[in-house]
Amino acid sequence: MALLVLIFSIFITLSLSPMITSQKLHPLDPLTMSEITLVQTIVKKAYPTTTTTTTTTSHNNLTFHYVGLDEPEKRTVLKWQSRPKTVRIPRRALVHARYNKQTLELIVDLSTRSLVSQQVHVGHGYPVYSFDEQTKASDLPMSYKPFIESIKKRGLNMSHVVCSTLSVGWFGEDEKGMSPREIKVQCFYTEKTTNLYLRPIEGITMVVDLDNIKIVDYQDRIRVPVPKAEGTEYQMSKQRPPFGPRLSAVASESPNGPGFKLDGHTIKWANWGFHVGFDSRVGPVISLASIYDIEKHKYRRVLYRGYVSEMFVPYMDPTEEVYFRTYFDCGEDGFGQSAVSLEPLADCPHNAVFMDAYYADENGNPVQISNAFCIFEQHAGHIMWRHTESGLHEGEVREVRQDVSLVVRMVSTVGNYDYINDWEFKPSGSIKVGVGLTGVLATKGVPHTHVDQIKEDLYGALLAENTIATHHDHFLNYYLDLDVDGQENSFVKTDLVTKRVSDHSSPRKSYWTITKKTAKTELEARLNVGLRPSEFAVVNPNIKTKVGNEIGYRLMPGSATIPLLTSDDYPQIRAPFTNYNIWVTPYNKSEKWAGGKFVSQSRGEDNLAIWSLRNRKIENKDIVLWYTIGFHHVPTQEEYPVMPTLTGGFELRPTNFFERNPVLKSQQPAPSVEPSSPVTAATPEERNVRDIEPGSPVSNSPDVTVSVTNEQLAHII
């Protein structure tokens, strides 16, 4: 009976595949639930878990670690963009899997239901961890006798013990051979708190062989007090008086429904059109962002593709229990599969529209993340532009326009940290990219209860009795394939240079001016920001404004952060993309993740820095800007027991892209209420609800009915 059910399931999946690969899908749409199931079926057929011969039956282990869209070549997507009815693009999936202790890299063609490429990875490094194997590894200590004995010796109750996994990194071991695929396990004590990360059980380290799911190394080295539960709880329901300030609630109401239109993953808002995708490794992907120019009467492309390509989080404690904590949150844990469901009215405002996302679990089954994205118009009281002129004969003139922007948001929880990812589009042409860090600090237990007792370097800050929060960094590298009015672009660095007035032509002694330099090769473009006053832009040297300026988009950096680890330290060897804030490479479909393709236990042999050593030409070419932002984090008591959000980011701002202010003629929205009058929620009839109800989830299934078709928007994105 079970066999019949399996056969029927495969038949249904295969019979539906023409529908799955329908041209209703945008070529950059993430894989749907049905497509992930079809990938699973095709791969399992090619790599069976049971092989039977005339004499033996062997059992093979197959696990899925990454299943994502095999992104078509850019030229193919752009051809489809201009002729969506006639250009057909095969839907293909990229799969990283483990089969009999080997790493497979597969390309699956969903249209022909076949494997078009099969490679065995023979170098160092392993694919993204699956949640399933991490759960299995975390459960092992609960039945491991040496661990149970260690817990008893500490006087702790096993019923309050939970464990979590930590990546092992690479520190020079097995220089010439392959390291076994491993993960470490740390345990915590949850009695009287849900904040497990603030009650670590110190001194115990365990290493798990992931291919065999067994503990292969166990140490119980030291014993220190487990930090107290008092003051660690963050749940509101468990708080006791006195309470903090009561904050006023403000609802963002859209009387006529959302100000944007959504067709599948394609968004049109104000003067912007773009595509929102999802990837289980990197999370949100913004593609084909174009802005309408009212002077030229057309949409002009700005950003072909943008996303967080890697995040590196090294901790600054060299002791046995902590030294290996040097995380790559995209390449090891999967920034996308770590996305969490967003809470309406808390993570996102009242006027938000939500979208789901899907990834494949260890067995290849699709997993749904409900409300993985929210999209909303942001009315934050900002001013788009204004001016008051009082020197006129006719009296004072005052003009002001309120600013409204569109935000695409996703939150990823990777271990103890929650990361808020925002892509904000502004009518002025700017794209603001933001990241917020919140969650719980990583801590370790110590015997100290006061800073006066500390006589040695504990590599962190004492935030509570017996609790040290370790110093650490966060580096995020963004992949930004800017196509400023076309693919042929250049990278220009503009220095602000002080000049002295030496010829007595002016009472002034000095002034500053600018000097520009166009980077011709990759190595010329490697830069750290903040070392001197400079500006950085991607320009199109083939198109100029009426007065002769090259059109471009400027990178407006956030705070400048560079690594403080030595270049020969193993974590830094694995993450050399943090050595510079700016890198520029020629477009290459295969170069998409700054940390390399297989990051877990990698050795720095495949990454952005290695690719750039070829020093390829980048002037007037199809180029990619890679930008790394960072935070050096010295913890403070205000970040205990849960951390208020710390924000950072950057802006991509038009620079001579338009002939004049593109929002000069922006129309001020009529106020829905009089100033100081009470705000009341409108009824559905009053709101005249249009295509999408604010706050409602939107499926990414191709069967969803929407008001705008891909064909109508094909000239936009």
Side-chain angles (χ1 to χ4, degrees):
M1 184 65 181
L3 180 60
L4 289 175
V5 171
L6 176 61
I7 293 173
F8 179 74
S9 174
I10 294 174
F11 171 77
I12 291 295
T13 300
L14 296 181
S15 64
L16 288 176
S17 61
M19 184 186 305
I20 292 169
T21 58
S22 164
Q23 287 300 294
K24 293 171 69 175
L25 289 172
H26 189 290
L28 297 178
D29 277 355
L31 298 180
T32 65
M33 208 169 191
S34 299
E35 287 179 318
I36 293 173
T37 301
L38 181 56
V39 169
Q40 176 195 45
T41 301
I42 295 168
V43 173
K44 283 190 171 182
K45 181 180 178 181
Y47 295 92
T49 53
T50 302
T51 305
T52 303
T53 66
T54 55
T55 57
T56 61
T57 298
S58 59
H59 297 281
N60 309 307
N61 188 35
L62 172 67
T63 54
F64 293 79
H65 296 267
Y66 172 80
V67 177
L69 176 72
D70 180 41
E71 177 190 337
E73 286 283 356
K74 182 194 282 193
R75 63 177 179 272
T76 306
V77 175
L78 297 181
K79 188 181 295 184
W80 172 90
Q81 177 187 348
S82 61
R83 291 180 290 154
K85 287 186 176 181
T86 59
V87 176
R88 297 184 65 85
I89 301 178
R91 290 283 286 179
R92 291 182 172 178
L94 172 63
V95 178
H96 294 164
R98 293 283 290 171
Y99 187 68
N100 288 344
K101 301 182 181 180
Q102 289 185 315
T103 297
L104 304 178
E105 184 178 0
L106 312 172
I107 303 293
V108 180
D109 191 313
L110 299 172
S111 305
T112 60
R113 302 188 293 277
S114 63
L115 291 171
V116 295
S117 176
Q118 305 176 62
Q119 296 183 26
V120 175
H121 173 60
V122 295
H124 298 113
Y126 295 106
V128 176
Y129 298 124
S130 73
F131 285 158
D132 304 86
E133 65 186 351
Q134 291 186 72
T135 299
K136 294 172 189 174
S138 299
D139 289 342
L140 288 177
M142 302 308 162
S143 57
Y144 190 64
K145 290 183 179 179
F147 177 74
I148 295 172
E149 186 62 28
S150 293
I151 295 300
K152 287 182 179 178
K153 289 179 179 178
R154 285 165 169 77
L156 304 177
N157 188 330
M158 277 293 295
S159 64
H160 296 303
V161 175
V162 297
C163 300
S164 182
T165 53
L166 309 167
S167 60
V168 300
W170 174 70
F171 295 89
E173 60 272 26
D174 297 310
E175 288 276 6
K176 296 181 180 179
M178 292 292 293
S179 302
R181 187 165 174 266
E182 295 175 336
I183 203 165
K184 292 198 176 187
V185 177
Q186 181 185 21
C187 300
F188 306 87
Y189 204 56
T190 62
E191 184 182 28
K192 298 181 180 179
T193 186
T194 54
N195 200 341
L196 61 96
Y197 291 106
L198 295 188
R199 303 202 73 194
I201 301 171
E202 291 297 339
I204 301 173
T205 56
M206 288 168 278
V207 178
V208 172
D209 178 339
L210 284 175
D211 285 329
N212 297 297
I213 307 296
K214 67 176 184 179
I215 296 173
V216 294
D217 184 65
Y218 182 84
Q219 294 184 46
D220 185 350
R221 197 174 69 91
I222 58 173
R223 294 182 199 173
V224 297
V226 174
K228 298 175 182 177
E230 181 183 359
T232 64
E233 189 57 69
Y234 53 78
Q235 294 182 95
M236 189 62 195
S237 61
K238 297 187 177 181
Q239 303 301 317
R240 297 292 179 265
F243 292 106
R246 180 178 293 276
L247 305 179
S248 300
V250 177
S252 296
E253 193 66 37
S254 301
N256 297 317
F260 60 92
K261 291 189 176 181
L262 184 62
D263 177 14
H265 286 263
T266 295
I267 295 174
K268 185 179 180 182
W269 172 81
N271 47 355
W272 279 102
F274 59 94
H275 181 275
V276 178
F278 171 82
D279 181 81
S280 66
R281 176 163 173 162
V282 303
V285 181
I286 303 296
S287 301
L288 294 166
S290 301
I291 188 166
Y292 188 77
D293 187 332
I294 60 174
E295 300 274 336
K296 297 182 180 294
H297 309 291
K298 67 176 183 179
Y299 279 88
R300 302 169 64 190
R301 193 163 69 249
V302 175
L303 180 70
Y304 176 75
R305 207 145 167 86
Y307 52 85
V308 178
S309 82
E310 190 55 84
M311 180 186 290
F312 177 50
V313 188
Y315 281 79
M316 300 297 132
D317 187 334
T319 60
E320 181 66 25
E321 286 72 31
V322 187
Y323 77 89
F324 55 88
R325 298 183 190 180
T326 53
Y327 307 120
F328 290 76
D329 286 346
C330 293
E332 291 178 337
D333 288 293
F335 213 40
Q337 70 179 15
S338 299
V340 294
S341 296
L342 299 173
E343 293 289 333
L345 305 183
D347 287 313
C348 311
H350 176 270
N351 62 334
V353 170
F354 293 83
M355 295 175 66
D356 299 338
Y358 304 94
Y359 70 92
D361 69 10
E362 181 180 275
N363 296 313
N365 298 310
V367 178
Q368 180 179 13
I369 307 173
S370 300
N371 293 0
F373 291 98
C374 69
I375 305 160
F376 59 91
E377 287 181 300
Q378 185 163 264
H379 306 259
H382 296 297
I383 297 170
M384 181 185 292
W385 66 264
R386 77 172 328 278
H387 181 60
T388 299
E389 184 55 69
S390 57
L392 300 171
H393 293 298
E394 55 267 35
E396 184 176 273
V397 172
R398 180 183 299 118
E399 285 286 317
V400 61
R401 301 291 185 272
Q402 73 178 56
D403 203 10
V404 181
S405 58
L406 187 74
V407 177
V408 177
R409 173 171 293 167
M410 191 191 84
V411 176
S412 294
T413 300
V414 186
N416 52 300
Y417 263 102
D418 294 61
Y419 296 99
I420 305 162
N421 286 273
D422 282 355
W423 289 80
E424 179 182 354
F425 294 83
K426 301 177 74 66
S428 62
S430 284
I431 303 173
K432 297 185 73 174
V433 183
V435 61
L437 283 60
T438 179
V440 179
L441 295 169
T443 64
K444 70 175 184 178
V446 293
H448 310 87
T449 59
H450 194 280
V451 293
D452 290 346
Q453 300 169 350
I454 301 174
K455 306 302 180 184
E456 71 280 10
D457 191 349
L458 292 181
Y459 318 109
L462 186 71
L463 302 188
E465 292 184 0
N466 309 119
T467 304
I468 286 283
T470 309
H471 300 146
H472 59 282
D473 297 325
H474 303 261
F475 292 100
L476 293 89
N477 179 271
Y478 285 83
Y479 175 102
L480 303 166
D481 184 355
L482 287 157
D483 280 1
V484 180
D485 234 2
Q487 293 170 249
E488 285 70 38
N489 288 178
S490 297
F491 176 71
V492 176
K493 177 174 178 271
T494 301
D495 289 327
L496 280 61
V497 181
T498 300
K499 295 283 188 177
R500 291 195 64 85
V501 179
S502 57
D503 60 0
H504 307 291
S505 61
S506 170
R508 292 279 298 273
K509 298 291 187 182
S510 64
Y511 66 99
W512 62 259
T513 188
I514 62 171
T515 60
K516 293 186 176 183
K517 181 180 181 181
T518 300
K520 299 185 181 300
T521 65
E522 292 177 90
L523 296 184
E524 286 185 17
R526 298 187 312 186
L527 296 167
N528 281 317
V529 304
L531 300 181
R532 58 187 302 174
S534 303
E535 293 186 350
F536 316 96
V538 173
V539 305
N540 188 326
N542 310 294
I543 303 176
K544 292 181 171 58
T545 64
K546 290 179 181 179
V547 298
N549 291 311
E550 292 179 336
I551 68 167
Y553 256 75
R554 188 173 11 155
L555 171 68
M556 307 287 289
S559 59
T561 305
I562 58 175
L564 300 178
L565 298 178
T566 60
S567 60
D568 63 343
D569 197 358
Y570 292 105
Q572 198 58 37
I573 291 172
R574 298 177 65 216
F577 59 86
T578 63
N579 290 336
Y580 295 95
N581 301 120
I582 293 175
W583 306 73
V584 181
T585 63
Y587 167 80
N588 185 322
K589 175 188 167 182
S590 67
E591 296 174 2
K592 54 196 299 186
W593 299 310
K597 190 177 295 181
F598 298 107
V599 176
S600 176
Q601 296 175 243
S602 62
R603 303 184 181 185
E605 298 162 330
D606 171 37
N607 52 56
L608 175 58
I610 297 297
W611 310 331
S612 291
L613 290 177
R614 286 174 282 179
N615 203 24
R616 294 162 291 185
K617 294 180 179 180
I618 58 172
E619 185 179 16
N620 205 12
K621 302 286 186 182
D622 188 359
I623 58 176
V624 176
L625 174 69
W626 307 74
Y627 179 57
T628 302
I629 67 172
F631 305 81
H632 295 308
H633 194 168
V634 179
T636 66
Q637 287 188 239
E638 288 81 3
E639 297 168 336
Y640 177 94
V642 66
M643 177 180 166
T645 302
L646 173 67
T647 59
F650 60 95
E651 181 177 348
L652 298 172
R653 186 179 179 91
T655 301
N656 300 320
F657 186 80
F658 298 101
E659 292 292 338
R660 56 185 53 81
N661 181 350
V663 288
L664 175 68
K665 300 179 182 179
S666 63
Q667 301 177 67
Q668 187 82 15
S672 57
V673 295
E674 291 297 322
S676 302
S677 65
V679 180
T680 57
T683 66
E685 292 77 13
E686 292 171 327
R687 280 192 276 119
N688 186 24
V689 176
R690 298 191 298 185
D691 305 305
I692 306 164
E693 185 72 19
S696 63
V698 177
S699 169
N700 66 356
S701 166
D703 302 322
V704 172
T705 301
V706 291
S707 62
V708 184
T709 67
N710 280 334
E711 293 177 8
Q712 291 172 308
L713 293 179
H715 68 289
I716 304 173
I717 63 174

